[in-house]
Amino acid sequence: KSHVESILEVLADFKQRREPGRSRKEYVDQLGAFMAELYGYLPELVEYFLTMFSPSEALEFIDYSDKPRPMVIRTNTLKTRRKDLALALMKRGVSLDPLASWSKVGLKIMESPVPIGATPEYLSGHYMLQSAASMCPVLALSPQPQERVLDMSAAPGGKTSYIAQLMRNTGVVFANDLKADRQKATVANMHRLGVKNVVTCTHDGRKLSKLFQHYKFDRVLLDAPCSGLGVISRDPSVKVQRTLADVQKTAHLQKELLLAAIDVLNHKSKTGGIMVYSTCSVSVAENEEVVNYALQKRDIKIIDTELDFGTPGFTRYQQKRFHPSIANTRRFYPHVHNMDGFFVARIQKLSDKVKGQTNPAEEGENMEWKDNKEEISSKAEEVSRGKEKSKGKKRKDSGNEGEESLPGKKRKKEKVSIPPTKTKVTKKADKKKNSAKMTKPRRKKVEQ
């Protein structure tokens, strides 16, 4: 630790304190190696954090990521009020405080002689164990009563139940998750909390746009599966198991899910047309890069999250430059907000237009035009074949070269343009038949 501190001192006043001949990069690399060893991280993860934060802030972030977050519970207002719940828990000897000014339902548990996940209040559905950070996406989504809402990766149902609570058990919430085993917890929580407007399903989120093609949603919440770099305090295995290759893989999945989420959103909704994209990761590849990708592919805009705390998202990272509106997104850090590392982006859909492709209606017209063109050309081929056959007959019937040249001239004239419509094709066919009939009797006269 003393090595880390001494390097930080040098980096803080680099011109004065550095050793001659040593570059800043050498110091930063050495700092990364010491920090990885000290906190038990993979060196590549520490290097990644050093590219995102200043050296002193990276150390603070890594240090706070190891410390446990305060336990937070969310009052279920479908069954009780926060004041009544606080009194009931205080009678059991629980020491608690209101979570923060931004939350009307959160309570922070300081200490408790009883297990918080097994009190009679918990079992009767008066509250849900939920981290402060995971309440933010739902607050940003701001679902309204009687709306149609989709939670794309819902299990175990913390955010889903909060959505239902804000909608006052009206409208409908589709709680989707890929794994059926995880949905058991969602169903159990919905029953315990008295939620009645939730439909659970187990579909691949990437295929939802085809499934709900004619059933669009007013609001969509996508709390995407991620690398978990923001919740290391809850899952320390991330330090040694997660690599940058894993981060890139999850980023690819997130891009597919985000486009699918935008596609099932109804931009004509009177109250909504809004979705929230969130992750429990701090990496740029899973957050700003994913949202920037969606901006390039769909007709959307990033709007203000309406959360009055959190730091703005990056608009530049190393050589990369993102859309200026990405500054409207919000990041939450353990060392700044004493919350899990989290990212929240609020997106408004403007139209169903897919950037880089033509309009579906225009495509339909183009297809019809192509079909008509094919029909016309096939009929023209049939006509020309018919002419060739009639010519063959004429050659057999008469040896007169002058008369043979007449159909040739006609053929040239008819080959000048392809008939544009069906009616014209039939007329030309009729002309051909008439001319064939007219020539036969003349030949007979010549022979006599």
Side-chain angles (χ1 to χ4, degrees):
K1 197 161 187 178
S2 59
H3 284 307
V4 170
E5 284 167 4
S6 62
I7 293 172
L8 284 174
E9 281 173 15
V10 172
L11 289 170
D13 189 6
F14 189 65
K15 281 184 182 176
Q16 306 286 307
R17 298 189 177 185
R18 72 167 182 168
E19 290 174 25
R22 284 191 74 183
S23 67
R24 186 182 175 87
K25 190 179 182 300
E26 282 178 57
Y27 277 104
V28 172
D29 289 347
Q30 199 176 3
L31 175 69
F34 283 137
M35 280 161 69
E37 202 172 323
L38 181 63
Y39 291 98
Y41 277 81
L42 285 176
E44 62 180 301
L45 281 182
V46 177
E47 281 172 29
Y48 189 64
F49 294 143
L50 284 166
T51 62
M52 283 171 55
F53 306 112
S54 66
S56 55
E57 196 180 358
L59 177 66
E60 216 178 331
F61 169 78
I62 289 170
D63 191 34
Y64 269 81
S65 290
D66 274 358
K67 294 175 182 174
R69 302 278 83 73
M71 182 185 276
V72 176
I73 61 172
R74 191 196 80 241
T75 314
N76 178 19
T77 53
L78 297 173
K79 288 195 172 185
T80 186
R81 292 183 303 173
R82 182 164 73 167
K83 188 168 74 174
D84 299 339
L85 175 65
L87 284 169
L89 289 174
M90 280 159 82
K91 281 179 186 171
R92 299 192 187 279
V94 178
S95 169
L96 47 80
D97 276 330
L99 174 59
S101 58
W102 52 267
S103 175
K104 294 177 184 175
V105 292
L107 286 168
K108 197 189 294 180
I109 309 294
M110 308 312 248
E111 55 179 327
S112 171
V114 291
I116 291 296
T119 62
E121 285 78 20
Y122 175 83
L123 297 171
S124 53
H126 287 198
Y127 64 87
M128 177 87 179
L129 292 163
Q130 189 173 10
S131 73
S134 61
M135 293 184 201
C136 298
V138 182
L139 288 172
L141 187 68
S142 182
Q144 303 301 312
Q146 301 298 345
E147 281 189 331
R148 195 185 288 163
V149 180
L150 170 67
D151 187 353
M152 275 182 82
S153 46
K159 295 181 187 69
T160 311
S161 57
Y162 194 11
I163 290 169
Q165 181 177 313
L166 291 173
M167 290 166 71
R168 302 193 193 110
N169 244 345
T170 62
V172 63
V173 182
F174 277 77
N176 178 66
D177 202 277
L178 182 62
K179 292 175 183 171
D181 290 344
R182 285 166 59 82
Q183 285 290 56
K184 287 176 186 172
T186 309
V187 173
N189 278 322
M190 294 311 117
H191 284 301
R192 183 174 62 81
L193 296 161
V195 172
K196 295 172 184 171
N197 63 340
V198 168
V199 178
T200 55
C201 50
T202 51
H203 298 295
D204 184 343
R206 293 170 293 184
K207 294 172 185 171
L208 285 178
S209 52
K210 287 177 185 172
L211 233 142
F212 293 111
Q213 210 166 2
H214 306 294
Y215 188 91
K216 300 277 178 98
F217 295 91
D218 298 308
R219 291 174 200 260
V220 177
L221 172 65
L222 172 57
D223 183 41
C226 65
S227 60
L229 292 177
V231 288
I232 293 167
S233 61
R234 276 192 270 161
D235 184 11
S237 66
V238 169
K239 293 186 199 178
V240 288
Q241 287 180 356
R242 203 69 76 236
T243 63
L244 293 184
D246 295 330
V247 171
Q248 290 303 329
K249 270 183 202 168
T250 49
H252 180 70
L253 172 64
Q254 287 158 351
K255 285 172 185 173
E256 290 180 296
L257 288 170
L258 181 53
L259 293 188
I262 293 165
D263 290 341
V264 295
L265 200 58
N266 180 15
H267 69 281
K268 292 176 183 172
S269 165
K270 289 175 185 173
T271 56
I274 287 167
M275 74 158 289
V276 166
Y277 171 76
S278 63
T279 67
C280 54
S281 174
V282 293
S283 74
V284 177
E286 293 175 275
N287 299 326
E288 285 87 351
E289 279 187 37
V290 173
V291 175
N292 198 57
Y293 173 81
L295 274 168
Q296 291 164 4
K297 295 286 178 184
R298 296 287 184 271
D299 191 15
I300 56 169
K301 69 174 179 178
I302 313 298
I303 55 175
D304 189 46
T305 56
E306 293 176 9
L307 300 169
D308 53 1
F309 62 105
T311 55
F314 295 139
T315 51
R316 51 169 60 197
Y317 169 69
Q318 290 181 319
Q319 294 84 28
K320 290 171 182 168
R321 298 290 176 270
F322 305 123
H323 195 275
S325 66
I326 287 178
N328 287 331
T329 62
R330 287 287 171 269
R331 285 175 155 264
F332 304 99
Y333 296 121
H335 63 289
V336 179
H337 310 100
N338 196 18
M339 288 159 64
D340 291 329
F342 232 80
F343 174 83
V344 177
R346 195 166 190 240
I347 297 164
Q348 185 173 14
K349 186 174 180 179
L350 302 174
S351 74
D352 283 327
K353 197 164 69 178
V354 176
K355 290 182 182 177
Q357 282 185 22
T358 51
N359 220 1
E362 284 174 18
E363 277 179 17
E365 284 171 20
N366 291 343
M367 288 301 287
E368 283 173 27
W369 183 79
K370 280 177 189 172
D371 292 343
N372 290 341
K373 200 174 175 184
E374 280 168 16
E375 276 178 34
I376 291 163
S377 59
S378 62
K379 295 217 169 185
E381 278 173 24
E382 282 172 27
V383 170
S384 61
R385 277 177 201 156
K387 284 171 194 166
E388 279 168 17
K389 282 179 186 176
S390 63
K391 272 179 225 162
K393 284 178 187 176
K394 286 166 195 171
R395 280 173 188 160
K396 283 177 188 176
D397 290 344
S398 69
N400 196 344
E401 286 175 12
E403 283 167 2
E404 271 180 26
S405 65
L406 284 169
K409 283 177 186 173
K410 278 182 191 172
R411 188 177 70 206
K412 278 181 188 174
K413 280 179 189 174
E414 284 167 358
K415 262 200 170 180
V416 170
S417 62
I418 293 170
T421 57
K422 292 176 186 178
T423 52
K424 287 185 183 179
V425 169
T426 52
K427 279 179 189 175
K428 290 201 172 181
D430 291 340
K431 277 182 190 176
K432 179 207 71 172
K433 285 175 188 175
N434 293 339
S435 62
K437 283 176 186 175
M438 289 296 288
T439 51
K440 278 177 186 175
R442 282 178 193 165
R443 283 175 195 155
K444 282 176 186 176
K445 284 174 189 176
V446 171
E447 281 167 16
Q448 285 170 6

